[in-house]
Amino acid sequence: LAQLCISKQSAATPRIGHRSSASIMSMQIAISTARAKRAAAEKGYVVDPFASQLCEAEPAGDPLLHRGYYARHRAVDLALRAFLREFPAGQIVALGCGLDSSFWRLSATGAAPAAYFEVDSELVVAEKQRLILL
């Protein structure tokens, strides 16, 4: 899981802790998935204006993969929106979120939850923070 380490020498500068092989694998999967999500958005399978911001790499994937991402994107989006309609003050915790843009898509349509938490490996969290702050 992501962790934030503050040193005495640099109290204002966060550092990332130990990078395990599982964290590195998680990062590789997140980038691969982001490339496929970006390609699906660019080819019109899904509407995700934030996909390109969360993926610097060239889009990748074949049409079968795009259809799979369309199904996942649609199912997750419908589930999140249904939950927020029933629980407008609800909180969402996204485990293993990768470089997903669900929060921004919800926010862009005025459907953001009261709180949205994303949990992933330290490398993925650091990369997502870097991409958001570009």
Side-chain angles (χ1 to χ4, degrees):
L1 297 180
Q3 57 184 331
L4 185 63
C5 301
I6 306 296
S7 69
K8 288 183 180 179
Q9 296 84 9
S10 179
T13 305
R15 293 183 299 127
I16 299 299
H18 173 70
R19 292 185 172 118
S20 68
S21 60
S23 185
I24 293 168
M25 184 181 298
S26 178
M27 184 66 217
Q28 291 169 339
I29 292 168
I31 290 172
S32 174
T33 302
R35 291 179 70 198
K37 288 178 182 179
R38 179 177 173 185
E42 289 181 3
K43 295 197 180 285
Y45 285 86
V46 298
V47 176
D48 188 348
F50 306 98
S52 62
Q53 182 178 350
L54 295 171
C55 177
E56 291 179 321
E58 288 298 313
D62 61 36
L64 181 59
L65 186 61
H66 299 322
R67 289 190 292 271
Y69 275 110
Y70 166 79
R72 181 197 175 280
H73 176 95
R74 183 83 171 130
V76 169
D77 194 61
L78 287 173
L80 288 172
R81 291 177 189 281
F83 172 79
L84 292 170
R85 273 192 304 278
E86 188 166 342
F87 305 100
Q91 298 181 24
I92 294 174
V93 178
L95 301 175
C97 57
L99 301 174
D100 186 66
S101 64
S102 293
F103 171 77
W104 289 277
R105 289 195 323 269
L106 291 170
S107 294
T109 60
Y116 194 100
F117 302 95
E118 294 187 335
V119 180
D120 211 313
S121 74
E122 60 189 81
L123 289 177
V124 174
V125 169
E127 176 65 2
K128 193 166 193 175
Q129 287 173 336
R130 185 187 72 75
L131 291 168
I132 291 166
L133 296 173
L134 281 178

